[in-house]
Each structure stands twice: as structure tokens, then as C-alpha cells.
Amino acid sequence: MKDLLEKAQPVVDFIRNNDNFAIVCHYDADGLCAGALLANALDRLGKKYTITPTKQMDSARIADIQSKGEHHLFADFGSGQIPVIEENLKSFAIIDHHATVGETSQPHFNAHLVGLDGAKEISGAGMAYIVAKALSPDNQDLAALAIVGAVGDMQDSSGAFIGFNRKILADAEAAGVITAKKDLRLFGRHSRPLVQFLMYNSDPILPGITADEGGTVRFLNSASIPIRQDDEYVYYVDLSDDLKRRLLSALVVYGKRNFVPDNYLKAMVGEVYELTREKDKSFVKDAKDFSTLLNACGRHEKGEVGIRVAMGDRDVYYGLAEELLRQHRRMLRDGIEYAKSKGVTDTGSSYLLDGGSEIKDTLIGVIAGMLYGAQVIGQDKPIIAFSMDEEGHAKFSGRATWRLVRKGLHLGKAMREAAASVGGEGGGHNIAAGATVPFEKKDEFIKSFNKIVSVQLSA
Ligand code: C5P
Ligand code: C5P
Ligand code: ZN
């Protein structure tokens, strides 16, 4: 850590020697945490600043942020946009963990340039935390935000943090702001009644549970796990250790029956991180819930609400953030209802959902996957769904079941090849993939995709 505190020095000096900053951060959970962390640190120094969360940094956006302050501080992005930043701003510093493109003589604190793996062992918020700690050891309590950011970037996906994130975790524990323990790692441990907890989780998709309220109730009943007690809904954190174990083994049995690979089932259990100072059952108690809340803000163009919550608001902005999360869930539910009523077409080798103008391109993949859970479609074929993105392209998302993957299906490869054949681009995992193609080529793309899939499944 000491070594890195020294490497953060140019950014530290930049902050100490200037005033009137414009913090510009990425709009996902990690970016919002990184921005909020810097904002808290600047507040403690009595510095003036504005803060602007944004989706991407291009010449159009630069014009907007130019006037937001005299000295720009980029958080959780910037390293990949150095040429455009250099061209437009005269005084800036970059704090990031993404790959770098180009060089700058301005302070640039990037994970990869200081020997850290920015994809796996430190997040943008983690980098911002090092800067904050180098500014003052009193900022160690801000390590909680670095944990939320890293969870938001799924850097705990192997079951626990690795590498430098563990040092940040040790700082957070020492400061008394985070506790870590082993538990079921699904969104909503603290913040959702059991039924919602299970039915709104979509990774992995569990047919008859995901997006299926009746099915989830039946599943819980058959495992003899109470849904209500004394007229109150039961939350996961209310369960005794015994009931928690029973729920986990029932989920594992259910997952196995649906061909979910063992490593995914194992990964359901791992380290969970709780913010010790937050209220039980709030959306900010568990790091995963917290990051989901922030993502909901960013995704619905309300990043500034997320910033306030990350900075500590538990009042008006917290309420707004909760409302955005509810809105997000409503949009998922409406999307599923739309698919049910408008119908999904069976195109032979796959199911097809035309999201039209009803389903946002950013939600279409999640909704497509949930259709298996809700048993709107059978498990015998993959589903592809599309809607028009902001640029007028057809944005396709493909989802499948583990049963199909076992038979040889690889959606990522199929999407990549089919997209390439019509001048688009695509790729992804075996079970989840996406592609963007010219809108007028969508039918051709679907034909090509179906052909590739039928070959994969007959091999
Ligand atoms: O790779 P990426 O994280 O962008 O994947 C996007 C989506 O694909 C995830 O939100 C998840 O729902 C889905 N996915 C999945 N199973 C995997 C990997 C991804 O369902 N093994
Ligand atoms: O967009 P969607 O959530 O459906 O994407 C699922 C997965 O496919 C993600 O992991 C994403 O990174 C990948 N993908 C890709 N190339 C694209 C679109 C999506 O590799 N053009
Ligand atoms: Zn990040």
C-alpha cells in the first residue's frame, strides 16, 4: 500500500495545489463510488467542486463538462480517452483502472501503470480510495465505497476479492466500516422479501423460479421455508443458520436439475460484504445491494442521485434511488408481460422477441433470459431479442439454458459469426451474448444465426 500511496502523489499534489474542480465519473456503480469518494475527500479539504456522472467521454460530452470547473478530475474512466481529453482540457488528472490509450504529461493514476490488474484486483473506486488515503489517513473510512465499487464491477466473482482489493478490505475492516463473511451471494439478502429475492435474480436463470412468483412460492413451500412470519415478510437475513442452509441446498438441487454447472452453483456461496454503520434491511447494508441501487440510478440517467447516496445521503436522494430501483423492476415486469402478450415467434432454430419500441435496448437481454424462468418459452431453443438502440441499429441479445450449452450451443460464437456476415459486430459467452447490426439487415442476421445454431446443436 505504501508504495502505491507514493505513486498517487502527483494526483495528490494536483488536488492540494488547486481548487474549483470538476469531478467527472463513469455512471455505473463503480464510477459513482469513485466520484463520491473523491467528492467526500475534497469536502474534507474544504475544496470546491462540481460532480458529473456520465456514460461516455467523447468530443460532444467534453464540451458539456468543460465549463464545470477549472481543473478536471476523471474517475473510473479517462485513461481510454486521453487524446480527446488532451485536445480539449488544459488542466486535469485521471484516476482509472481501465486500459489506457495514448499518453499524457498530466497526473495519471492508472491501475495498469502501477502494476495492478485493473480487471480483477482493483476498481475505479479502489484507485480513488488510494488517492483519498494518500491525501489523509483519516479517509480510511471511505474504503467502504471502494468495496461497493469493486462489487459493482463484479471483482468478487471468483467467490471473494483477490489481490489489492483484499488490502482495501483490510483497511475497511480496520476502520470498522465493513465486515466480511461467507454466505449466499445473491442480490437482496437484506433488501428483498424472500420471494422477490429469488424471483428477480437472473444469474443463473432457474426455470420455475426466475420471474415466476407462483413457482418461487411453491419452491419455498416445498423446502419448508417460511415466507411470512407474524404478518411480516421474511427476508433472507431473518432466516436462522439452519434455514439458510436448507435454502441453499434446495437451490443447489434445483440448479443441478436444470443443468447449471457445478462451478456456478458453488459460486453462489462466497464472501459477502456488509456496511457496519448502515441500517439492517436497507439497500445500502450489503455491498451487492448497494451497488445494484447505484446501477439503477446510472442506468436510468440519474447518476447524480446515486452520487448523493454514495456520498452519504439517507434521506431524499436515498428515497429517489429506491424509486429508481422499483422503476427498474417494473420495467422488467412490463417487458415480460409485453413478451407474453405480443408473443414470441418460433423461428425454427430459435425463439425471437421483437422488443419494438416497448423494451429498452439496455434491458432486452435480461428480459429475454427471464422468459425461460417465467416459462414463456421452452428450454429447447435459444432466444434472441432485439430493439433499436440510440444510433438506430438493431441491438440483439441472445440467451440460452445450460441444458443447451451442454449440447454444444455457443451463443457468443454464433452472434459473432452471424453479425460479421451482415457487417455488424457481436460476441459474448456461451450462454449469453449480444450483437449490433444494421437495422435493415436484421432478418438476414436472424437467418444466419439460426443456421449456425442448428449446426452447433447437431454436432
Ligand atoms: O458479460 P456480461 O457481464 O456483459 O454479461 C451480460 C449478462 O449476461 C449478465 O447480466 C448475465 O445476465 C448474463 N450472463 C449469464 N450467465 C453467464 C454470463 C453472463 O446469464 N455465465
Ligand atoms: O448486451 P447483452 O447483455 O445481451 O450482452 C451479453 C454479453 O455479450 C455481454 O457479455 C457482452 O459483453 C457480450 N457482447 C459482445 N459483443 C456485443 C454485444 C454483447 O461481446 N456486440
Ligand atoms: Zn470501474
Side-chain angles (χ1 to χ4, degrees):
M1 179 77 84
K2 189 159 164 276
D3 176 41
L4 281 160
L5 296 177
E6 277 162 22
K7 289 182 172 150
Q9 211 52 47
V11 177
V12 167
D13 293 338
F14 177 84
I15 292 172
R16 284 203 186 287
N17 299 335
N18 293 305
D19 204 348
N20 296 321
F21 294 96
I23 303 171
V24 188
C25 59
H26 197 211
Y27 79 135
D28 67 0
D30 181 35
L32 297 176
C33 286
L37 214 153
L38 292 175
N40 279 333
L42 292 183
D43 271 338
R44 291 173 183 183
L45 290 170
K47 302 273 184 188
K48 287 193 279 301
Y49 62 86
T50 62
I51 178 160
T52 314
T54 176
K55 185 172 178 179
Q56 60 203 22
M57 187 46 55
D58 47 31
S59 17
R61 279 305 279 150
I62 284 264
D64 290 344
I65 58 138
Q66 217 154 18
S67 59
K68 301 257 180 196
E70 283 172 41
H71 308 279
H72 288 73
L73 265 174
F74 290 92
D76 190 41
F77 67 174
S79 293
Q81 297 80 24
I82 289 176
V84 64
I85 295 173
E86 274 277 337
E87 208 173 295
N88 292 282
L89 300 174
K90 49 182 196 309
S91 174
F92 63 86
I94 298 172
I95 301 162
D96 196 359
H97 71 133
H98 294 100
T100 67
V101 177
E103 282 179 29
T104 176
S105 56
Q106 309 259 351
H108 183 197
F109 188 50
N110 180 291
H112 302 280
L113 300 179
V114 296
L116 296 176
D117 181 341
K120 296 195 173 117
E121 63 165 324
I122 191 158
S123 67
M127 294 299 289
Y129 170 68
I130 298 174
V131 170
K133 191 176 174 190
L135 277 166
S136 164
D138 291 345
N139 285 332
Q140 199 167 322
D141 60 325
L142 300 179
L145 285 177
I147 300 301
V148 177
V151 168
D153 269 4
M154 293 194 267
Q155 294 191 332
D156 60 343
S157 62
S158 69
F161 286 138
I162 56 167
F164 200 81
N165 277 327
R166 295 218 73 79
K167 295 202 176 154
I168 297 179
L169 176 61
D171 267 19
E173 288 176 317
V177 290
I178 292 276
T179 49
K181 64 176 181 199
K182 219 171 154 193
D183 203 357
L184 185 61
R185 302 189 315 145
L186 296 180
F187 161 69
R189 285 168 59 254
H190 266 276
S191 57
R192 290 256 191 269
L194 271 181
V195 174
Q196 273 82 29
F197 170 66
L198 292 176
M199 69 180 279
Y200 282 105
N201 270 295
S202 54
D203 195 9
I205 301 275
L206 295 172
I209 291 183
T210 311
D212 185 343
E213 187 166 359
T216 304
V217 170
R218 282 192 295 279
F219 166 78
L220 287 167
N221 284 341
S222 71
S224 308
I225 291 165
I227 292 166
R228 284 169 147 273
Q229 204 147 36
D230 307 330
D231 260 3
E232 303 253 4
Y233 285 111
V234 175
Y235 286 60
Y236 176 77
V237 287
D238 294 328
L239 297 177
S240 65
D241 287 348
D242 228 26
L243 285 176
K244 280 182 183 161
R245 268 193 297 273
R246 199 186 300 164
L247 174 58
L248 177 66
S249 42
L251 278 174
V252 168
V253 169
Y254 203 96
K256 276 192 200 294
R257 220 187 300 144
N258 285 285
F259 305 95
V260 179
D262 283 348
N263 55 327
Y264 279 83
L265 293 172
K266 280 213 188 85
M268 286 201 301
V269 174
E271 230 169 34
V272 297
Y273 309 100
E274 290 188 356
L275 289 88
T276 46
R277 296 182 183 170
E278 302 295 343
K279 255 208 337 248
D280 276 356
K281 295 192 185 167
S282 69
F283 282 95
V284 290
K285 182 72 187 175
D286 175 274
K288 199 181 188 73
D289 294 7
F290 199 154
S291 71
T292 306
L293 184 71
L294 296 178
N295 271 327
C297 297
R299 211 171 340 191
H300 295 284
E301 288 93 38
K302 290 282 188 299
E304 65 286 356
V305 172
I307 294 275
R308 296 293 191 134
V309 174
M311 285 180 71
D313 181 282
R314 298 292 175 267
D315 191 10
V316 174
Y317 288 99
Y318 179 80
L320 288 172
E322 260 189 338
E323 179 51 35
L324 287 166
L325 198 57
R326 270 195 292 274
Q327 185 187 327
H328 181 70
R329 208 171 61 179
R330 210 155 43 228
M331 286 168 83
L332 292 182
R333 213 165 38 219
D334 289 351
I336 291 166
E337 287 311 313
Y338 173 80
K340 273 185 189 164
S341 67
K342 183 161 186 286
V344 176
T345 337
D346 184 340
T347 62
S349 299
S350 64
Y351 295 108
L352 177 69
L353 167 65
D354 176 351
S357 51
E358 302 292 316
I359 304 181
K360 269 198 186 187
D361 66 301
T362 47
L363 292 182
I364 192 120
V366 187
I367 290 167
M370 288 183 124
L371 297 180
Y372 285 111
Q375 307 190 49
V376 178
I377 52 175
Q379 291 201 56
D380 53 331
K381 297 170 192 180
I383 176 163
I384 51 176
F386 71 96
S387 57
M388 200 190 272
D389 70 10
E390 284 165 357
E391 282 89 42
H393 301 125
K395 166 66 177 63
F396 278 90
S397 277
R399 292 294 186 271
T401 62
W402 286 110
R403 188 200 302 248
L404 288 163
V405 169
R406 248 195 11 179
K407 284 188 182 162
L409 183 75
H410 196 301
L411 284 180
K413 288 182 188 162
M415 283 276 179
R416 175 151 27 93
E417 285 174 38
S421 76
V422 299
E425 60 101 20
H429 313 274
N430 50 16
I431 193 161
T436 302
V437 304
F439 203 81
E440 66 281 5
K441 293 283 176 79
K442 64 178 174 22
D443 296 325
E444 210 180 308
F445 169 82
I446 295 164
K447 265 203 202 99
S448 161
F449 174 86
N450 278 344
K451 209 178 279 170
I452 298 166
V453 162
S454 67
V455 172
Q456 286 180 347
L457 287 175
S458 65

